Every structure is written in C-alpha cells, then in structure tokens.
Amino acid sequence: MPVPWFHVRLRTARRALDDGRLDEAYQAATAPDLRDDRRAHAILDDLIRPLLARARLHAQAGRYADALADLDRLAAVGRGEPDREALRAEL
C-alpha cells in the first residue's frame, strides 16, 4: 500500500526541523494540504522558538529584513504572539 504524500511531507518537515533547516520545515509544514493536520500544527509549534531565536540573531547582526521575515512567518501561522510582537516593536 503506497504511503500518502502528506505523510512523506510530514516526515520531511519533521526531519528538516530536527536538522535545523528551519525554512524547509516551515515550507513543508505550511503546504496547503497539510494546514489542517494536527502533526503539521505540532511542527509549527516546535518552530516558534528556533524562528524567534534566529530573528533575534538577525536583529543583533543588523539584518533587520531577515529578522522581520522570520517574524512574518510566525505571524502568518498565528504563532509566537507575545514574543513575536515584542521583538517586532524593538525593531
């Protein structure tokens, strides 16, 4: 029995997150066919801290556009509200 593609994509997203490939994990977890899946939501929840940390590092290095891009990713999926907005206010 073939594995449905969304299972493969969920595993790909989880593996990318575990390997620190945040952009790849985000892109896979926000694919239209995965948006309603609870496992994709768990991956997005697990992306909050690393994306916020990366946004802070970008901000400290003066890469404000990159920092804002990470904050926009979190906003697009409704995650990290208080910390996200606090960092955005600092920028």
Side-chain angles (χ1 to χ4, degrees):
M1 179 173 156
V3 178
W5 280 109
F6 70 91
H7 288 297
V8 172
R9 293 180 51 189
L10 281 169
R11 280 196 308 267
T12 299
R14 175 55 66 183
R15 215 171 283 133
L17 177 59
D18 292 344
D19 291 345
R21 298 186 321 267
L22 304 181
D23 295 328
E24 186 178 331
Y26 177 86
Q27 185 176 10
T30 57
D33 59 330
L34 298 181
R35 284 207 179 132
D36 295 329
D37 190 274
R38 65 177 171 74
R39 292 161 294 188
H41 286 262
I43 292 167
L44 291 172
D45 289 340
D46 291 344
L47 271 168
I48 296 170
R49 289 185 115 174
L51 280 175
L52 281 171
R54 189 172 74 175
R56 283 187 190 98
L57 289 173
H58 284 314
Q60 289 171 354
R63 295 186 304 269
Y64 302 113
D66 292 333
L68 289 170
D70 281 341
L71 296 177
D72 289 344
R73 285 181 185 91
L74 289 170
V77 293
R79 302 284 194 294
E81 174 71 36
D83 293 331
R84 182 189 77 223
E85 291 308 312
L87 183 55
R88 186 180 299 276
E90 289 176 30
L91 295 174

Coordinates of all heavy atoms in Angstrom, one line a residue:
M1 N 0.9 -1.2 0.0 CA 0.0 0.0 0.0 C 0.9 1.2 0.0 O 1.8 1.4 0.9 CB -0.9 0.0 1.3 CG -1.8 1.2 1.4 SD -2.9 0.9 2.8 CE -3.3 2.5 3.1
P2 N 0.7 2.1 -1.0 CA 1.5 3.3 -1.0 C 1.2 4.3 0.1 O 0.1 4.4 0.6 CB 1.2 4.0 -2.4 CG -0.1 3.4 -2.7 CD -0.2 2.1 -2.1
V3 N 2.3 5.0 0.6 CA 2.1 6.0 1.6 C 1.6 7.3 1.0 O 2.1 7.7 0.0 CB 3.5 6.2 2.3 CG1 3.4 7.3 3.4 CG2 4.0 4.9 2.9
P4 N 0.5 7.8 1.6 CA 0.0 9.1 1.1 C 1.1 10.2 1.1 O 1.9 10.2 2.1 CB -1.1 9.4 2.0 CG -1.6 8.2 2.6 CD -0.3 7.3 2.7
W5 N 1.1 11.0 0.2 CA 2.2 12.0 0.1 C 2.3 12.9 1.3 O 3.3 13.4 1.7 CB 2.0 12.9 -1.2 CG 2.6 12.2 -2.4 CD1 1.9 11.6 -3.4 CD2 4.0 11.9 -2.7 NE1 2.7 11.0 -4.3 CE2 4.0 11.2 -3.9 CE3 5.1 12.1 -2.0 CZ2 5.2 10.7 -4.4 CZ3 6.3 11.7 -2.5 CH2 6.3 11.0 -3.8
F6 N 1.1 13.2 1.9 CA 1.2 14.1 3.0 C 2.0 13.5 4.2 O 2.6 14.2 5.0 CB -0.2 14.6 3.5 CG -1.1 13.6 4.1 CD1 -1.1 13.5 5.5 CD2 -2.0 12.9 3.3 CE1 -2.0 12.6 6.1 CE2 -2.8 12.0 3.9 CZ -2.8 11.8 5.3
H7 N 2.0 12.2 4.3 CA 2.8 11.5 5.4 C 4.2 11.7 5.1 O 5.0 12.0 6.0 CB 2.4 10.0 5.5 CG 1.1 9.8 6.1 ND1 0.8 10.1 7.4 CD2 0.0 9.2 5.6 CE1 -0.5 9.8 7.6 NE2 -1.0 9.2 6.5
V8 N 4.6 11.6 3.9 CA 6.0 11.8 3.5 C 6.4 13.2 3.7 O 7.5 13.5 4.3 CB 6.2 11.4 2.0 CG1 7.6 11.8 1.5 CG2 5.9 9.9 1.8
R9 N 5.5 14.1 3.4 CA 5.9 15.5 3.6 C 5.9 15.9 5.1 O 6.7 16.7 5.5 CB 4.8 16.4 2.9 CG 5.1 16.1 1.3 CD 4.2 16.9 0.5 NE 4.1 18.3 0.7 CZ 3.3 19.1 0.1 NH1 2.5 18.6 -0.8 NH2 3.2 20.4 0.4
L10 N 5.1 15.3 5.9 CA 5.2 15.5 7.3 C 6.5 15.0 7.9 O 7.2 15.7 8.7 CB 4.0 14.8 8.1 CG 2.7 15.5 8.0 CD1 1.6 14.6 8.5 CD2 2.7 16.8 8.9
R11 N 6.9 13.8 7.5 CA 8.2 13.3 7.9 C 9.4 14.2 7.4 O 10.3 14.4 8.2 CB 8.4 11.9 7.4 CG 7.7 10.9 8.2 CD 8.2 9.4 8.0 NE 8.2 9.1 6.6 CZ 7.2 8.5 5.9 NH1 6.1 8.1 6.6 NH2 7.3 8.1 4.7
T12 N 9.2 14.7 6.2 CA 10.2 15.6 5.7 C 10.3 16.9 6.5 O 11.4 17.4 6.8 CB 9.9 15.9 4.2 OG1 9.9 14.7 3.4 CG2 10.9 16.9 3.6
A13 N 9.2 17.4 6.9 CA 9.1 18.6 7.7 C 9.7 18.4 9.0 O 10.5 19.2 9.5 CB 7.7 19.1 7.8
R14 N 9.4 17.3 9.7 CA 9.9 16.9 11.0 C 11.5 16.8 10.9 O 12.2 17.2 11.8 CB 9.2 15.7 11.5 CG 9.8 15.2 12.9 CD 9.8 16.2 14.0 NE 8.5 16.6 14.3 CZ 8.3 17.6 15.3 NH1 9.2 18.2 15.9 NH2 7.0 17.9 15.5
R15 N 11.9 16.0 9.9 CA 13.3 15.8 9.8 C 14.1 17.1 9.5 O 15.2 17.4 10.1 CB 13.6 14.9 8.6 CG 14.8 13.9 8.8 CD 14.9 12.8 7.8 NE 13.9 11.8 8.0 CZ 13.1 11.3 7.1 NH1 13.2 11.6 5.8 NH2 12.3 10.3 7.4
A16 N 13.5 18.0 8.7 CA 14.1 19.3 8.5 C 14.2 20.1 9.7 O 15.3 20.7 10.0 CB 13.3 20.1 7.4
L17 N 13.2 20.1 10.5 CA 13.2 20.8 11.8 C 14.3 20.2 12.7 O 15.1 21.0 13.3 CB 11.8 20.8 12.5 CG 11.7 21.4 13.9 CD1 12.1 22.9 13.8 CD2 10.3 21.2 14.4
D18 N 14.3 18.9 12.8 CA 15.3 18.2 13.7 C 16.7 18.5 13.2 O 17.6 18.6 14.1 CB 15.1 16.7 13.7 CG 13.8 16.4 14.4 OD1 13.2 17.2 15.1 OD2 13.3 15.2 14.2
D19 N 16.9 18.8 11.9 CA 18.2 19.0 11.4 C 18.6 20.5 11.4 O 19.6 20.9 11.0 CB 18.4 18.5 10.0 CG 18.4 17.0 9.9 OD1 18.6 16.3 11.0 OD2 18.2 16.5 8.8
G20 N 17.6 21.4 11.9 CA 17.9 22.8 11.9 C 17.6 23.5 10.6 O 18.0 24.7 10.5
R21 N 17.0 22.9 9.7 CA 16.7 23.5 8.4 C 15.3 24.2 8.6 O 14.3 23.6 8.1 CB 16.7 22.5 7.3 CG 18.1 21.9 7.1 CD 18.2 21.0 5.9 NE 17.1 20.2 5.6 CZ 17.0 18.9 6.0 NH1 17.9 18.4 6.8 NH2 15.9 18.2 5.7
L22 N 15.3 25.3 9.2 CA 14.0 26.0 9.6 C 13.1 26.4 8.4 O 11.9 26.2 8.4 CB 14.3 27.2 10.5 CG 15.1 26.9 11.7 CD1 15.3 28.2 12.5 CD2 14.5 25.8 12.6
D23 N 13.7 26.9 7.4 CA 12.9 27.4 6.2 C 12.3 26.2 5.5 O 11.1 26.3 5.1 CB 13.8 28.2 5.2 CG 14.3 29.5 5.9 OD1 13.6 30.1 6.7 OD2 15.4 29.9 5.5
E24 N 13.0 25.1 5.4 CA 12.5 23.9 4.7 C 11.3 23.3 5.6 O 10.3 22.9 5.1 CB 13.6 22.9 4.5 CG 13.2 21.7 3.8 CD 14.3 20.7 3.6 OE1 15.5 21.2 3.5 OE2 14.0 19.5 3.4
A25 N 11.5 23.3 6.9 CA 10.5 22.8 7.8 C 9.2 23.6 7.7 O 8.1 23.1 7.6 CB 11.0 22.7 9.2
Y26 N 9.4 24.9 7.7 CA 8.3 25.8 7.7 C 7.5 25.7 6.3 O 6.3 25.6 6.3 CB 8.8 27.3 7.8 CG 7.7 28.3 7.7 CD1 6.9 28.7 8.8 CD2 7.4 28.9 6.4 CE1 5.9 29.6 8.6 CE2 6.4 29.8 6.3 CZ 5.6 30.1 7.4 OH 4.6 31.1 7.3
Q27 N 8.3 25.6 5.3 CA 7.6 25.5 4.0 C 6.9 24.2 3.9 O 5.7 24.2 3.4 CB 8.7 25.6 2.9 CG 8.1 25.6 1.5 CD 9.2 25.7 0.4 OE1 10.4 25.7 0.7 NE2 8.8 25.9 -0.8
A28 N 7.4 23.1 4.3 CA 6.7 21.8 4.3 C 5.5 21.8 5.2 O 4.4 21.3 4.8 CB 7.7 20.7 4.6
A29 N 5.6 22.4 6.4 CA 4.5 22.3 7.3 C 3.4 23.2 7.0 O 2.2 23.1 7.4 CB 5.0 22.6 8.7
T30 N 3.6 24.2 6.1 CA 2.6 25.2 5.7 C 2.0 24.9 4.4 O 1.2 25.7 3.8 CB 3.1 26.6 5.8 OG1 4.2 26.8 4.9 CG2 3.4 27.0 7.2
A31 N 2.4 23.8 3.8 CA 1.8 23.4 2.5 C 0.3 23.3 2.6 O -0.2 22.9 3.6 CB 2.4 22.0 2.0
P32 N -0.4 23.7 1.6 CA -1.9 23.7 1.6 C -2.5 22.4 2.1 O -3.5 22.4 2.8 CB -2.3 24.1 0.2 CG -1.1 24.8 -0.3 CD 0.1 24.2 0.3
D33 N -2.0 21.3 1.6 CA -2.6 20.0 2.0 C -2.3 19.6 3.4 O -2.9 18.6 3.9 CB -2.2 18.9 1.0 CG -0.7 18.7 0.9 OD1 0.0 19.6 1.2 OD2 -0.3 17.5 0.6
L34 N -1.4 20.3 4.1 CA -1.0 19.9 5.5 C -1.6 20.9 6.5 O -1.5 20.6 7.7 CB 0.5 19.8 5.7 CG 1.2 18.8 4.8 CD1 2.7 18.9 5.1 CD2 0.7 17.4 5.1
R35 N -2.1 22.0 6.1 CA -2.5 23.0 7.0 C -3.5 22.6 8.1 O -3.4 23.1 9.2 CB -3.2 24.2 6.3 CG -2.1 25.0 5.6 CD -2.6 26.4 5.4 NE -1.4 27.1 4.7 CZ -1.5 27.8 3.7 NH1 -2.7 28.1 3.2 NH2 -0.5 28.4 3.1
D36 N -4.3 21.6 7.8 CA -5.3 21.2 8.8 C -4.9 20.0 9.6 O -5.6 19.5 10.5 CB -6.7 20.9 8.1 CG -7.3 22.1 7.5 OD1 -7.1 23.2 8.0 OD2 -8.0 22.0 6.4
D37 N -3.7 19.5 9.4 CA -3.2 18.3 10.0 C -2.6 18.7 11.4 O -1.8 19.6 11.5 CB -2.2 17.6 9.2 CG -1.9 16.2 9.7 OD1 -1.0 16.1 10.6 OD2 -2.6 15.2 9.3
R38 N -3.0 17.9 12.4 CA -2.5 18.2 13.8 C -1.0 18.0 13.9 O -0.3 18.7 14.7 CB -3.2 17.4 14.8 CG -3.0 15.9 14.7 CD -3.7 15.2 15.8 NE -3.6 13.8 15.6 CZ -2.5 13.0 15.7 NH1 -1.4 13.6 16.1 NH2 -2.6 11.7 15.5
R39 N -0.4 17.1 13.1 CA 1.0 16.9 13.2 C 1.8 18.1 12.6 O 2.8 18.4 13.0 CB 1.4 15.6 12.5 CG 0.8 14.4 13.3 CD 0.8 13.2 12.4 NE -0.2 13.4 11.4 CZ -0.6 12.4 10.6 NH1 -0.1 11.3 10.6 NH2 -1.6 12.7 9.7
A40 N 1.2 18.7 11.5 CA 1.8 19.9 10.9 C 1.7 21.0 11.9 O 2.7 21.8 12.1 CB 1.1 20.3 9.6
H41 N 0.6 21.1 12.7 CA 0.5 22.1 13.7 C 1.5 21.9 14.8 O 2.1 22.9 15.3 CB -0.9 22.1 14.3 CG -1.9 22.7 13.4 ND1 -2.4 24.0 13.5 CD2 -2.6 22.2 12.4 CE1 -3.3 24.2 12.6 NE2 -3.4 23.1 11.9
A42 N 1.8 20.7 15.2 CA 2.9 20.4 16.2 C 4.2 20.9 15.7 O 5.0 21.4 16.4 CB 2.9 18.9 16.5
I43 N 4.5 20.6 14.4 CA 5.8 21.1 13.8 C 5.9 22.6 13.9 O 6.9 23.2 14.2 CB 5.9 20.5 12.4 CG1 6.1 19.0 12.4 CG2 7.1 21.2 11.7 CD1 6.0 18.3 11.1
L44 N 4.8 23.3 13.5 CA 4.8 24.7 13.6 C 5.0 25.2 15.0 O 5.7 26.2 15.2 CB 3.5 25.3 13.0 CG 3.3 25.1 11.5 CD1 1.9 25.5 11.0 CD2 4.4 25.9 10.7
D45 N 4.4 24.5 16.0 CA 4.6 24.9 17.4 C 6.0 24.8 17.7 O 6.6 25.6 18.5 CB 3.7 24.1 18.3 CG 2.2 24.4 18.2 OD1 1.9 25.5 17.7 OD2 1.4 23.5 18.6
D46 N 6.7 23.7 17.2 CA 8.1 23.5 17.5 C 9.0 24.4 16.8 O 10.2 24.6 17.2 CB 8.5 22.0 17.2 CG 7.8 21.0 18.1 OD1 7.3 21.4 19.2 OD2 7.8 19.8 17.8
L47 N 8.5 25.1 15.8 CA 9.3 26.1 15.1 C 9.3 27.5 15.8 O 10.2 28.3 15.4 CB 8.7 26.3 13.7 CG 9.3 25.4 12.6 CD1 8.4 25.4 11.3 CD2 10.7 25.7 12.3
I48 N 8.5 27.7 16.7 CA 8.4 29.0 17.3 C 9.7 29.5 17.9 O 10.2 30.5 17.6 CB 7.3 29.1 18.4 CG1 5.9 28.8 17.8 CG2 7.3 30.4 19.1 CD1 4.8 28.6 18.8
R49 N 10.2 28.7 18.8 CA 11.5 29.1 19.5 C 12.6 29.3 18.5 O 13.4 30.3 18.6 CB 11.8 28.1 20.6 CG 10.9 28.2 21.8 CD 11.3 27.3 22.8 NE 11.6 28.1 24.0 CZ 12.0 27.7 25.1 NH1 12.0 26.4 25.3 NH2 12.2 28.5 26.1
P50 N 12.9 28.3 17.6 CA 14.0 28.5 16.7 C 13.9 29.7 15.8 O 14.9 30.4 15.6 CB 14.1 27.2 15.9 CG 13.3 26.2 16.7 CD 12.3 27.0 17.5
L51 N 12.7 30.0 15.3 CA 12.5 31.1 14.5 C 12.6 32.4 15.2 O 13.2 33.4 14.7 CB 11.1 31.1 13.8 CG 11.0 30.2 12.6 CD1 9.6 30.1 12.0 CD2 12.0 30.6 11.5
L52 N 12.1 32.5 16.5 CA 12.3 33.7 17.3 C 13.8 33.9 17.6 O 14.3 35.0 17.5 CB 11.5 33.5 18.6 CG 10.0 33.8 18.5 CD1 9.3 33.5 19.8 CD2 9.8 35.3 18.1
A53 N 14.5 32.8 17.9 CA 15.9 32.9 18.2 C 16.7 33.4 17.0 O 17.6 34.2 17.1 CB 16.5 31.5 18.6
R54 N 16.3 32.8 15.8 CA 17.0 33.3 14.6 C 16.7 34.7 14.3 O 17.6 35.5 13.9 CB 16.6 32.4 13.4 CG 17.5 32.6 12.2 CD 17.3 31.6 11.1 NE 16.0 31.8 10.5 CZ 15.6 31.1 9.4 NH1 16.3 30.2 8.9 NH2 14.4 31.4 8.9
A55 N 15.5 35.1 14.5 CA 15.1 36.5 14.3 C 15.9 37.4 15.2 O 16.4 38.5 14.8 CB 13.6 36.7 14.5
R56 N 16.1 37.0 16.5 CA 16.9 37.8 17.4 C 18.4 37.9 16.9 O 19.0 39.0 17.0 CB 16.9 37.2 18.8 CG 15.6 37.5 19.5 CD 15.6 37.0 21.0 NE 14.3 37.1 21.6 CZ 13.5 36.1 21.7 NH1 13.8 34.9 21.2 NH2 12.3 36.3 22.2
L57 N 18.9 36.8 16.4 CA 20.3 36.8 15.9 C 20.4 37.8 14.7 O 21.4 38.5 14.6 CB 20.7 35.4 15.6 CG 21.0 34.5 16.8 CD1 21.3 33.1 16.3 CD2 22.1 35.0 17.6
H58 N 19.4 37.7 13.8 CA 19.4 38.6 12.7 C 19.4 40.0 13.1 O 20.1 40.9 12.6 CB 18.2 38.3 11.8 CG 18.3 37.1 10.9 ND1 19.5 36.8 10.2 CD2 17.4 36.1 10.6 CE1 19.3 35.6 9.5 NE2 18.0 35.2 9.8
A59 N 18.5 40.3 14.1 CA 18.4 41.7 14.6 C 19.7 42.2 15.2 O 20.2 43.3 15.0 CB 17.3 41.8 15.6
Q60 N 20.3 41.3 16.0 CA 21.6 41.7 16.6 C 22.7 42.0 15.6 O 23.6 42.8 15.8 CB 22.0 40.6 17.6 CG 21.2 40.5 18.8 CD 21.5 39.3 19.7 OE1 22.3 38.4 19.3 NE2 20.9 39.2 20.8
A61 N 22.6 41.3 14.5 CA 23.6 41.4 13.4 C 23.3 42.6 12.5 O 24.0 42.8 11.5 CB 23.8 40.1 12.7
G62 N 22.1 43.2 12.7 CA 21.7 44.3 11.9 C 21.0 43.9 10.6 O 20.8 44.7 9.7
R63 N 20.6 42.6 10.5 CA 19.9 42.1 9.3 C 18.4 42.2 9.6 O 17.7 41.2 9.9 CB 20.4 40.7 9.0 CG 21.8 40.6 8.6 CD 22.2 39.2 8.2 NE 21.9 38.2 9.2 CZ 22.8 37.8 10.1 NH1 24.0 38.3 10.2 NH2 22.5 36.8 11.0
Y64 N 17.9 43.4 9.6 CA 16.5 43.6 10.1 C 15.5 43.0 9.1 O 14.5 42.5 9.5 CB 16.3 45.1 10.2 CG 17.2 45.7 11.3 CD1 18.2 46.6 10.9 CD2 17.2 45.3 12.6 CE1 19.1 47.2 11.8 CE2 18.0 45.8 13.5 CZ 19.0 46.8 13.1 OH 19.9 47.3 14.1
A65 N 15.8 43.0 7.8 CA 14.8 42.4 6.9 C 14.7 40.9 7.1 O 13.6 40.4 7.1 CB 15.3 42.7 5.4
D66 N 15.8 40.3 7.4 CA 15.8 38.9 7.7 C 15.0 38.6 9.0 O 14.3 37.6 9.1 CB 17.2 38.3 7.7 CG 17.9 38.3 6.4 OD1 17.2 38.2 5.4 OD2 19.1 38.3 6.4
A67 N 15.2 39.4 10.0 CA 14.6 39.3 11.3 C 13.1 39.4 11.1 O 12.3 38.6 11.6 CB 15.1 40.3 12.3
L68 N 12.7 40.5 10.3 CA 11.2 40.7 10.1 C 10.6 39.6 9.2 O 9.5 39.2 9.5 CB 11.0 42.0 9.4 CG 11.3 43.3 10.2 CD1 11.3 44.5 9.4 CD2 10.3 43.3 11.4
A69 N 11.4 39.0 8.3 CA 10.9 37.9 7.5 C 10.5 36.7 8.5 O 9.5 36.0 8.3 CB 11.9 37.4 6.5
D70 N 11.4 36.4 9.4 CA 11.1 35.3 10.4 C 9.9 35.6 11.2 O 9.1 34.7 11.5 CB 12.3 35.0 11.3 CG 13.4 34.2 10.5 OD1 13.1 33.5 9.5 OD2 14.5 34.2 11.0
L71 N 9.8 36.9 11.6 CA 8.6 37.3 12.4 C 7.3 37.2 11.6 O 6.3 36.8 12.1 CB 8.8 38.7 13.0 CG 9.9 38.8 14.0 CD1 10.1 40.3 14.4 CD2 9.8 37.9 15.2
D72 N 7.4 37.5 10.3 CA 6.3 37.4 9.4 C 5.9 36.0 9.2 O 4.7 35.7 9.1 CB 6.6 38.0 8.1 CG 6.7 39.6 8.1 OD1 6.2 40.1 9.1 OD2 7.2 40.2 7.2
R73 N 6.8 35.1 9.2 CA 6.5 33.6 9.1 C 5.7 33.2 10.3 O 4.7 32.5 10.1 CB 7.8 32.8 9.0 CG 8.5 32.8 7.7 CD 9.7 31.9 7.6 NE 10.4 32.1 6.4 CZ 11.4 33.0 6.2 NH1 11.8 33.7 7.2 NH2 12.0 33.0 5.0
L74 N 6.1 33.6 11.4 CA 5.3 33.2 12.6 C 4.0 33.9 12.6 O 3.0 33.2 13.0 CB 6.1 33.7 13.9 CG 7.4 32.8 14.2 CD1 8.2 33.5 15.3 CD2 7.0 31.4 14.5
A75 N 3.9 35.1 12.2 CA 2.6 35.8 12.2 C 1.6 35.1 11.2 O 0.4 35.0 11.4 CB 2.8 37.3 11.8
A76 N 2.2 34.7 10.1 CA 1.3 34.0 9.0 C 0.7 32.8 9.5 O -0.4 32.4 9.0 CB 2.2 33.7 7.8
V77 N 1.3 32.1 10.5 CA 0.7 30.9 11.0 C 0.1 31.1 12.4 O -0.3 30.1 13.1 CB 1.6 29.7 11.0 CG1 1.9 29.3 9.6 CG2 2.9 30.0 11.8
G78 N 0.1 32.4 12.9 CA -0.5 32.7 14.2 C 0.2 32.1 15.4 O -0.4 31.6 16.3
R79 N 1.6 32.2 15.3 CA 2.4 31.6 16.4 C 3.3 32.6 17.0 O 3.6 33.6 16.4 CB 3.3 30.5 15.9 CG 2.5 29.3 15.2 CD 1.9 28.4 16.2 NE 1.4 27.1 15.8 CZ 0.5 26.8 14.9 NH1 -0.1 27.8 14.3 NH2 0.1 25.6 14.7
G80 N 3.6 32.4 18.3 CA 4.6 33.2 19.0 C 4.2 34.6 19.3 O 5.0 35.5 19.4
E81 N 2.9 34.9 19.5 CA 2.3 36.2 19.6 C 3.0 37.2 20.5 O 3.5 38.2 20.1 CB 0.8 36.1 20.0 CG 0.1 37.4 20.3 CD -0.1 38.2 19.1 OE1 -0.4 37.7 18.0 OE2 0.0 39.5 19.2
P82 N 3.1 36.9 21.8 CA 3.7 38.0 22.7 C 5.2 38.2 22.4 O 5.6 39.4 22.3 CB 3.5 37.5 24.1 CG 3.2 36.0 24.0 CD 2.7 35.8 22.6
D83 N 6.0 37.2 22.2 CA 7.4 37.4 22.0 C 7.6 37.9 20.6 O 8.5 38.8 20.4 CB 8.1 36.0 22.1 CG 8.1 35.5 23.5 OD1 8.1 36.3 24.4 OD2 8.2 34.3 23.7
R84 N 6.8 37.5 19.6 CA 6.9 38.0 18.3 C 6.7 39.5 18.2 O 7.5 40.2 17.6 CB 6.0 37.2 17.4 CG 6.0 37.6 15.9 CD 4.9 37.0 15.1 NE 3.7 37.7 15.4 CZ 2.5 37.2 15.6 NH1 2.3 35.9 15.6 NH2 1.4 37.9 15.8
E85 N 5.6 39.9 18.8 CA 5.3 41.3 18.8 C 6.3 42.2 19.6 O 6.6 43.3 19.2 CB 3.9 41.5 19.2 CG 2.8 41.0 18.2 CD 3.1 41.5 16.8 OE1 3.2 42.6 16.6 OE2 3.0 40.6 15.9
A86 N 6.8 41.7 20.7 CA 7.8 42.4 21.4 C 9.1 42.6 20.6 O 9.6 43.7 20.6 CB 8.1 41.6 22.7
L87 N 9.5 41.6 19.9 CA 10.7 41.7 19.1 C 10.4 42.7 17.9 O 11.3 43.5 17.6 CB 11.2 40.4 18.6 CG 12.4 40.3 17.7 CD1 13.6 41.0 18.5 CD2 12.8 38.9 17.4
R88 N 9.2 42.6 17.3 CA 8.9 43.5 16.2 C 8.9 44.9 16.7 O 9.4 45.8 16.0 CB 7.5 43.1 15.6 CG 7.2 43.9 14.4 CD 5.8 43.6 13.8 NE 5.7 42.2 13.4 CZ 6.1 41.7 12.2 NH1 6.7 42.5 11.4 NH2 6.0 40.5 11.9
A89 N 8.4 45.2 17.9 CA 8.4 46.5 18.5 C 9.8 47.0 18.7 O 10.1 48.2 18.5 CB 7.7 46.6 19.8
E90 N 10.8 46.1 19.0 CA 12.2 46.5 19.2 C 12.8 46.9 17.9 O 13.7 47.8 17.8 CB 13.0 45.4 19.8 CG 12.7 45.1 21.3 CD 13.4 43.9 21.8 OE1 14.6 43.7 21.3 OE2 12.9 43.3 22.7
L91 N 12.4 46.2 16.8 CA 13.0 46.5 15.5 C 12.4 47.8 15.0 O 13.0 48.5 14.2 CB 12.7 45.4 14.5 CG 13.3 44.0 14.9 CD1 12.8 42.9 13.9 CD2 14.8 44.1 14.8

